[in-house]
Amino acid sequence: SVNPDLASERQTASFSVERLTALLDGGAEQTQIRRAVVEAIESDPVFSRENQYFQTQNERYEAAVRKAVHLQKKMHEMGWTENGPEYKYIYRALSGDVAFLLHRVFMRSISVLGSDKQIAKWIPLATQHKLIGSYAQTELGHGTYLQGLETTAVFDTATQEFILNTPKISAMKWWPGDMGRSATHIVVFAQLYIHGKCYGIHPFIVQIRSLQDHSLCPGITAGDIGPKMNFEHIDNGYLLLKNVRIPRENMLSKFCEVQPDGTYVRQGSQKINYFTMTTVRISLISDEVLTPLMKACTIAIRYSAVRRQSKLKPGEQEAKILDYQTQQEKLLPQLAAAYAFHFINNYLQELFNRGYGEIQRKNFDMLPELHALSSGFKAVITQHCTAGVEICLRACGGHGYSLLSGLPSLYTKILASCIYEGENTILLLQTARFLIKCFMAASAGQPVPPSVTYLAAVKHRKCPAKNKLDFLSPDIYTEAYQHVAVRLTSSTAAKLQDLIQSGVKKHDAWNQCTVQLVQAAKAHCHYIAVKNFAETVEKLETKAGIQKIMKYLCDLFALHGIFSNTGAFLHDGYTSAAQIDMVTASYLDLLAVIRKDAVPLVDAFDFTDKCLNSALGSYDGQVYQRLYEWAQKSPTNQMSPAYERYLKPLLHNTLSKL
Amino acid sequence: SVNPDLASERQTASFSVERLTALLDGGAEQTQIRRAVVEAIESDPVFSRENQYFQTQNERYEAAVRKAVHLQKKMHEMGWTENGPEYKYIYRALSGDVAFLLHRVFMRSISVLGSDKQIAKWIPLATQHKLIGSYAQTELGHGTYLQGLETTAVFDTATQEFILNTPKISAMKWWPGDMGRSATHIVVFAQLYIHGKCYGIHPFIVQIRSLQDHSLCPGITAGDIGPKMNFEHIDNGYLLLKNVRIPRENMLSKFCEVQPDGTYVRQGSQKINYFTMTTVRISLISDEVLTPLMKACTIAIRYSAVRRQSKLKPGEQEAKILDYQTQQEKLLPQLAAAYAFHFINNYLQELFNRGYGEIQRKNFDMLPELHALSSGFKAVITQHCTAGVEICLRACGGHGYSLLSGLPSLYTKILASCIYEGENTILLLQTARFLIKCFMAASAGQPVPPSVTYLAAVKHRKCPAKNKLDFLSPDIYTEAYQHVAVRLTSSTAAKLQDLIQSGVKKHDAWNQCTVQLVQAAKAHCHYIAVKNFAETVEKLETKAGIQKIMKYLCDLFALHGIFSNTGAFLHDGYTSAAQIDMVTASYLDLLAVIRKDAVPLVDAFDFTDKCLNSALGSYDGQVYQRLYEWAQKSPTNQMSPAYERYLKPLLHNTLSKL
């Protein structure tokens, strides 16, 4: 039975939830396929996540391996293939709680970096799981700056082998997933040396564990790096290499080869490497970042519709906390952001697909723009969504702090996305470098990629809004965002030039501008996100109330951004203080409007209870019952030795009667 | 041996670290006492936290109980008493990792709310640990709003007993620490009924576990609420009461008594109750909030001085990440905030002591101001410090995400402080209510408490700063903060009045202003914090470089606040855009200045390595060695059954040679 406080929220939906779900999925057929996958996964007890919050790191790892192995069987059973339409839904259905994700990265790196012969040898073995692969790039002392990696691979012409070493403790490979306890083979990145000369970083296939008994191979020291904030199911590992010899054929050689006599031959373009990073950054947005935020919104908004606290009107019963303006101000902007980023993800996917097509035709022109957008949006979206999940957690008060709410694990997981696949500040500076370059080019009248042509366009110098309703016009707010992005880019470019002209060295000048460069990169992405949301809404079907509610969310997303960052809009007088007051008024009005549809808007994400795995977020809103039942199953409710050992002696002077 | 990259940071300190430590401690004798306590605790293996990051919730609980019991012995051994000078350092030395904290709350509530007779009976028993106490207020469905609590205590004149019940699942007591597995007696808050009439919430002493064998008493259902984001060492519990009878004497009756015939007698003032909450909110700031931020700063700044990543200047070795402006911009404002809040904590303590003195003299005049300041600062400081710890964590990249860095547990612990002892938004609204009331009074020429007299004062309408150096003048920035606080309070007061005059009901109008009221409350606290920091610096000794470096930190704290929230200062033109650019320039300059003393500034916090419990933050900066050694001890490096069970069968077609 559904909690009546939640049921009533659904009766007044202004739009068709089912249609919105279909829109999010990309069509009703996709929804059907997705639901079939979810059903198949969730009905299989091997994939259950029921005890997840009670498990130790060892138990989580073991369960993830069990699931990974079982998944092979399941796919065969269901007729799912890696190229089939079901595949992309499996990971979401498992909530990522499965091992051997790096096995896929191992395979992809061989496919991309290996010669045809290497692909023919290794890919079938990996596909049939006759080995377990991983990918070892990061070192204890080296992350983002690949040129700084210290692992060495010295070519020995006598034996036609590479000799691999991690010469210092900081050179130890550290973090690779699946490597701590599972992997038998890895792709290792190391500095290639031939006849004493360094040729830079190259990839090598190295066997680290026996296929007979899984013992470590000679010269290999490896293990698990220990407890982390999340990812307990993954055996992130460390690896020391001491004079490990591998055959010459094990250097991945699509682009570079070492010939038997030690001649180094470079062939083809390596630009495609950047494309690989772009691929990864775009692909992680959906599953690793948007899904957690959507889940957090679902949990926090459903809970806020059933939780009652204090009285809003004297004499009435306690109010739903969702009716408080401050609670709406916490949660609804996160909901709007989840939709905004869903649509920008579609935009990036499209751009990516177009770019991939061009690259197939050996045209690399789109790469810089793709790199800048994927870097910037990876940073902006992960940052925004991480903050959003934290807000959802805190908005649920004490119960949000219980692991059983599901929110702590969502937070600790999404937080990692700010760090992995490129640290966010560094990524934003990549975007900023592109922006500055394009701004200079555009200022000089040279052509620039489509996403940055606006940098050269001169528009209004004042925001034309006359009343608060004007700020519900996408043209008005999109232009305000555009103006801010141009201003921050141009003023930082000017500061940079001034510094250089005043004699500061180029690299010092750059460092002295980085705080402001980061601001410019964020403003650029924010502008594109707002513009894309507005354009998407424009094209939506007007039926079933979809366009109307999406328009409200778009407005909220845009106005929340202005409200939270008024200084950027006020700075050069483009927006006046009176206009900022109009923004505030419209923004607060919108909260009350969207609040009415808040529950249907999270229902449209279509997470099952098992997928949410939350005592607060279930579809029926029976929060207290679920918390109590679940808590009783906690291992902390088993007998503890603490009583006999410590409490009994302490209470030794027992009083029969107090 | 100290990492040379860290050693060099210490050689150039502009001030005496030892003197700054003494300043933070409140005198060199205090430093001595604190160090003696730390030494005694850390040399005792029972108190070791070495394996903490590897332990399960059950193991953490057991260790915390063991430590709590051992602490009694230790105190006796060392001659420490609860009233001695050492006492306040014990908790910090233990990093709070100890059980029976609620036992003290149990005792305090009896001391404050109990009659002399009750105090005489229960306090000696509790002091001698002949029982273990806890404090049960929060219910599954009810937190902040005490009037909403559902547990009932019905007086039975026939037996002279109270009959306690938790009539619904939402009435179940939920969260009380030490109650899940340890406590034998608790103070329960319940709605008192006599002859069918409700008299509101009252406190009752209830025995829940046998003193003989620790089994649950008749009518009691209790257990542990399960896994949480942190506080694994605490057995937060649940409790159901079914017709539990307690004698009439067990209602704490300093202020209210039920006479044998059921007559309800109220005696004395209950205002002191508010003072209890004030006490708790102020007392938690130091140990629960500032210490974690100071630890996080120590870890992140030391790590940033030894971690090298990318090149700042071409041709040189990789740069310390602390030399990047973006890294400074992350960490140094947190450091400045730690000092700012340390000094505001001193200010609150003093105010509190004065207030306590007044209350002893039955003068309750200071209570509203104390309540407003303690509520507001509890919210602002916990929020700011929680964000600060998260920034420190993320600034350490991947290694910050390892539990072994110590940062994840600092974050997950400090996060709770935003929720417990009053949810932050609700607290800020309490402060706002006080501000609005005082603003109205001040506007009408009535006297108001000292901390809010500024609301009536009319000062400059424009910031007088003419160049960036002017913004290093405390008068300039303090007045800017004051101006913003007045503007936000007065404009929200005006909005509130407008709404009410236009016919909106008072409670609706209030709700429609809450987002802005929260802003006003924050601005008020921020202003007081800046003003207090500046006044503190003014009074410092000029010797040993202390005043100079504290002045820089004060400037940084103030300018960072303006830089991060420029809209508030630009809004009515008090600060011009050109002046904001001056702020930005001075702010960025300050980062480079303070960076030079960053390591000495965290050294002054004087945390031992054991107390930090961090592979990244140790005094010697041997980060990589420590991470590797520690990871090897992780239980995840013991044999897992996963290989035999899942991997071996998967790899069954073992290939003797690939």
Side-chain angles (χ1 to χ4, degrees), chain A residues 92-109:
Chain A
R92 171 173 152 141
L94 292 168
S95 291
D97 202 20
V98 61
F100 306 162
L101 299 173
L102 269 287
H103 186 68
R104 293 180 54 75
V105 179
F106 172 83
M107 287 173 71
R108 190 170 56 209
S109 58

Side-chain angles (χ1 to χ4, degrees), chain B residues 1 61 118 186 212 217 235 299 353 494 564 573 588 615 622 644:
Chain B
S1 71
Y61 164 70
Q118 288 169 326
I186 57 176
Q212 311 294 343
C217 295
D235 54 323
I299 295 167
N353 292 339
S564 315
L588 296 176
Q622 298 295 0
E644 284 294 329

Side-chain angles (χ1 to χ4, degrees), chain B residues 176-395:
Chain B
D178 297 327
M179 190 180 78
R181 317 175 81 171
S182 299
T184 60
H185 290 69
I186 57 176
V187 169
V188 170
F189 281 79
Q191 303 281 1
L192 169 65
Y193 283 87
I194 309 170
H195 303 317
K197 185 182 164 193
C198 181
Y199 288 82
I201 287 299
H202 288 74
F204 303 84
I205 298 178
V206 181
Q207 179 171 357
I208 61 169
R209 287 189 177 89
S210 155
L211 290 166
Q212 311 294 343
D213 62 3
H214 218 237
S215 62
L216 291 169
C217 295
I220 302 288
T221 305
D224 185 279
I225 64 165
K228 297 146 297 186
M229 215 167 167
N230 197 315
F231 292 87
E232 298 99 332
H233 60 295
I234 301 291
D235 54 323
N236 297 94
Y238 61 79
L239 173 75
L240 284 161
L241 300 160
K242 196 171 176 190
N243 294 323
V244 174
R245 289 178 168 265
I246 58 168
R248 190 178 64 91
E249 292 72 28
N250 279 21
M251 182 173 114
L252 291 177
S253 56
K254 184 169 197 162
F255 302 109
C256 311
E257 200 185 8
V258 178
Q259 292 178 343
D261 65 347
T263 307
Y264 179 81
V265 183
R266 180 177 289 272
Q267 43 202 351
S269 164
Q270 277 195 300
K271 280 191 183 167
I272 192 77
N273 278 342
Y274 292 93
F275 194 67
T276 312
M277 295 191 300
T278 301
T279 314
V280 174
R281 279 173 200 143
I282 292 178
S283 69
L284 70 86
I285 291 174
S286 172
D287 282 336
E288 307 297 344
V289 189
L290 290 184
T291 300
L293 179 62
M294 288 172 173
K295 284 185 179 177
C297 286
T298 306
I299 295 167
I301 287 175
R302 286 183 182 161
Y303 176 66
S304 298
V306 302
R307 175 72 173 190
R308 290 176 173 271
Q309 188 73 36
S310 297
K311 296 186 181 183
L312 205 47
K313 302 186 186 183
E316 287 195 355
Q317 72 173 135
E318 290 186 63
K320 292 178 174 184
I321 58 176
L322 193 53
D323 285 325
Y324 291 95
Q325 190 188 49
T326 46
Q327 187 76 354
Q328 293 164 12
E329 213 269 328
K330 289 174 191 174
L331 299 180
L332 303 185
Q334 313 319 319
L335 182 61
Y339 279 92
F341 294 142
H342 172 82
F343 294 124
I344 203 74
N345 183 46
N346 288 351
Y347 162 86
L348 292 171
Q349 289 289 353
E350 259 172 57
L351 203 72
F352 172 82
N353 292 339
R354 239 188 312 137
Y356 190 66
E358 292 298 318
I359 283 164
Q360 305 280 62
R361 286 187 285 280
K362 301 282 177 204
N363 172 10
F364 298 104
D365 291 354
M366 277 183 75
L367 269 183
E369 187 185 29
L370 257 181
H371 176 63
L373 280 171
S374 65
S375 300
F377 273 110
K378 185 274 183 182
V380 165
I381 296 177
T382 56
Q383 205 132 320
H384 206 116
C385 294
T386 300
V389 172
E390 198 207 9
I391 290 169
C392 290
L393 186 155
R394 283 163 62 164

Side-chain angles (χ1 to χ4, degrees), chain A residues 80-344:
Chain A
W80 300 338
T81 65
E82 302 213 354
N83 304 314
E86 297 87 0
Y87 194 73
K88 65 173 169 175
Y89 298 119
I90 295 174
Y91 185 79
R92 171 173 152 141
L94 292 168
S95 291
D97 202 20
V98 61
F100 306 162
L101 299 173
L102 269 287
H103 186 68
R104 293 180 54 75
V105 179
F106 172 83
M107 287 173 71
R108 190 170 56 209
S109 58
I110 293 173
S111 306
V112 172
L113 305 172
S115 66
D116 292 345
K117 206 172 149 191
Q118 288 169 327
I119 292 173
K121 174 177 176 182
W122 294 99
I123 296 299
L125 292 172
T127 306
Q128 296 160 55
H129 282 89
K130 291 187 177 171
L131 57 81
I132 299 165
S134 179
Y135 178 89
Q137 181 178 298
T138 303
E139 296 176 356
L140 192 43
H142 305 276
T144 308
Y145 184 67
L146 293 191
Q147 290 164 264
L149 294 177
E150 294 179 289
T151 300
T152 57
V154 176
F155 185 59
D156 179 355
T157 36
T159 61
Q160 294 290 299
E161 289 171 320
F162 294 105
I163 309 164
L164 279 88
N165 275 288
T166 44
K168 291 163 63 182
I169 187 163
S170 53
M172 187 186 310
K173 294 295 175 186
W174 195 271
W175 278 112
D178 297 328
M179 190 178 79
R181 316 175 80 171
S182 298
T184 60
H185 290 70
I186 56 175
V187 169
V188 170
F189 281 79
Q191 303 282 0
L192 170 64
Y193 282 87
I194 311 172
H195 302 318
K197 187 182 161 191
C198 181
Y199 288 83
I201 288 297
H202 289 73
F204 304 84
I205 297 179
V206 180
Q207 180 171 356
I208 60 168
R209 285 189 178 89
S210 154
L211 290 167
Q212 311 296 342
D213 61 3
H214 218 236
S215 62
L216 291 170
C217 295
I220 303 286
T221 304
D224 185 278
I225 64 165
K228 297 146 295 185
M229 214 168 169
N230 195 316
F231 291 87
E232 299 100 332
H233 60 295
I234 301 292
D235 54 323
N236 297 93
Y238 61 79
L239 173 76
L240 283 162
L241 299 159
K242 195 171 176 191
N243 294 324
V244 173
R245 288 177 168 267
I246 57 169
R248 191 177 63 90
E249 292 73 27
N250 277 24
M251 181 173 114
L252 292 176
S253 57
K254 184 169 196 163
F255 302 110
C256 310
E257 199 184 7
V258 178
Q259 292 178 341
D261 65 348
T263 307
Y264 178 82
V265 184
R266 179 178 288 275
Q267 42 202 347
S269 165
Q270 277 194 301
K271 280 192 182 165
I272 192 78
N273 277 343
Y274 292 93
F275 194 66
T276 312
M277 295 190 303
T278 302
T279 313
V280 174
R281 280 174 199 144
I282 292 178
S283 69
L284 69 87
I285 292 173
S286 171
D287 282 337
E288 306 296 344
V289 188
L290 291 183
T291 300
L293 179 62
M294 288 171 173
K295 284 184 180 177
C297 285
T298 306
I299 295 166
I301 287 175
R302 285 183 182 160
Y303 176 67
S304 298
V306 302
R307 175 72 174 191
R308 289 176 175 272
Q309 188 74 34
S310 298
K311 297 188 181 181
L312 206 46
K313 300 186 189 186
E316 289 196 353
Q317 72 172 136
E318 289 186 65
K320 293 179 174 184
I321 57 175
L322 193 54
D323 286 325
Y324 291 95
Q325 189 188 49
T326 45
Q327 187 76 353
Q328 293 164 12
E329 213 268 329
K330 289 174 190 174
L331 299 180
L332 303 185
Q334 313 319 320
L335 183 61
Y339 278 92
F341 293 141
H342 172 82
F343 294 124
I344 203 74

Side-chain angles (χ1 to χ4, degrees), chain A residues 532-551:
Chain A
N532 179 68
F533 200 165
E535 287 171 359
T536 305
V537 168
E538 190 75 10
K539 285 178 247 157
L540 288 178
E541 55 169 347
T542 54
K543 277 182 294 184
I546 301 291
Q547 195 187 40
K548 195 173 162 200
I549 187 69
M550 287 298 111
K551 166 69 168 57

Side-chain angles (χ1 to χ4, degrees), chain B residues 111-142:
Chain B
S111 306
V112 174
L113 305 172
S115 66
D116 292 344
K117 205 171 148 192
Q118 288 169 326
I119 293 172
K121 172 175 178 184
W122 294 99
I123 295 299
L125 292 172
T127 307
Q128 297 161 56
H129 282 89
K130 290 187 176 172
L131 56 81
I132 299 165
S134 178
Y135 178 88
Q137 180 178 299
T138 303
E139 296 177 356
L140 192 43
H142 305 275

Side-chain angles (χ1 to χ4, degrees), chain A residues 53-54 56-58 62 66 100 121 125 129 140-145 148 169 174-175 181 185 211-214 223-231 238 240 307 309-314 318 323 325 329-330 383 390 394 397-399 401 403 411-412 415-416 418-419 423 425 495 507 511-512 514-516 519 563 566-567 571 577 581 584 588 624-625 628 631-632 634-638 640-641 643 645-647 650-651 654-656 658, chain B residues 53-54 56-58 62 66 100 121 125 129 140-145 148 169 174-175 181 185 211-214 223-231 238 240 307 309-314 318 323 325 329-330 383 390 394 397-399 401 403 411-412 415-416 418-419 423 425 495 507 511-512 514-516 519 563 566-567 571 577 581 588 624-625 628 631-632 634-638 640-641 643 645-647 650-651 654-656 658:
Chain A
Y53 303 130
F54 301 141
T56 64
Q57 195 181 354
N58 271 334
E62 196 182 326
R66 185 179 67 233
F100 306 162
K121 174 177 176 182
L125 292 172
H129 282 89
L140 192 43
H142 305 276
T144 308
Y145 184 67
I169 187 163
W174 195 271
W175 278 112
R181 316 175 80 171
H185 290 70
L211 290 167
Q212 311 296 342
D213 61 3
H214 218 236
D224 185 278
I225 64 165
K228 297 146 295 185
M229 214 168 169
N230 195 316
F231 291 87
Y238 61 79
L240 283 162
R307 175 72 174 191
Q309 188 74 34
S310 298
K311 297 188 181 181
L312 206 46
K313 300 186 189 186
E318 289 186 65
D323 286 325
Q325 189 188 49
E329 213 268 329
K330 289 174 190 174
Q383 205 132 320
E390 198 207 7
R394 283 164 61 166
H399 293 322
Y401 194 77
L403 289 199
Y411 175 75
T412 53
L415 177 66
C418 297
I419 300 163
E423 195 276 333
T425 304
K495 177 181 171 185
H507 53 263
N511 191 26
Q512 288 173 36
T514 46
V515 166
Q516 287 149 307
Q519 289 183 328
F563 175 77
T566 57
H571 190 278
D581 291 342
T584 303
L588 296 176
Y624 301 136
Q625 195 63 41
Y628 179 42
Q632 287 172 278
S634 170
T636 52
N637 284 314
Q638 290 152 12
S640 149
Y643 174 67
R645 281 196 203 149
Y646 311 113
L647 297 186
L650 184 74
L651 300 167
T654 47
L655 307 170
S656 57
L658 280 173
Chain B
Y53 303 131
F54 301 141
T56 65
Q57 195 180 354
N58 271 335
E62 197 183 326
R66 186 180 66 230
F100 305 162
K121 172 175 178 184
L125 292 172
H129 282 89
L140 192 43
H142 305 275
T144 308
Y145 184 67
I169 185 162
W174 195 271
W175 277 112
R181 317 175 81 171
H185 290 69
L211 290 166
Q212 311 294 343
D213 62 3
H214 218 237
D224 185 279
I225 64 165
K228 297 146 297 186
M229 215 167 167
N230 197 315
F231 292 87
Y238 61 79
L240 284 161
R307 175 72 173 190
Q309 188 73 36
S310 297
K311 296 186 181 183
L312 205 47
K313 302 186 186 183
E318 290 186 63
D323 285 325
Q325 190 188 49
E329 213 269 328
K330 289 174 191 174
Q383 205 132 320
E390 198 207 9
R394 283 163 62 164
H399 293 322
Y401 193 76
L403 289 200
Y411 175 75
T412 53
L415 177 65
C418 297
I419 300 163
E423 196 275 332
T425 305
K495 178 180 170 184
H507 54 263
N511 191 25
Q512 287 172 38
T514 45
V515 167
Q516 287 149 307
Q519 289 183 328
F563 175 78
T566 57
H571 190 278
D581 291 342
L588 296 176
Y624 301 136
Q625 194 64 40
Y628 179 42
Q632 286 172 279
S634 169
T636 52
N637 284 313
Q638 291 152 11
S640 150
Y643 174 67
R645 281 195 203 150
Y646 311 113
L647 297 186
L650 183 74
L651 302 166
T654 48
L655 308 169
S656 58
L658 280 172

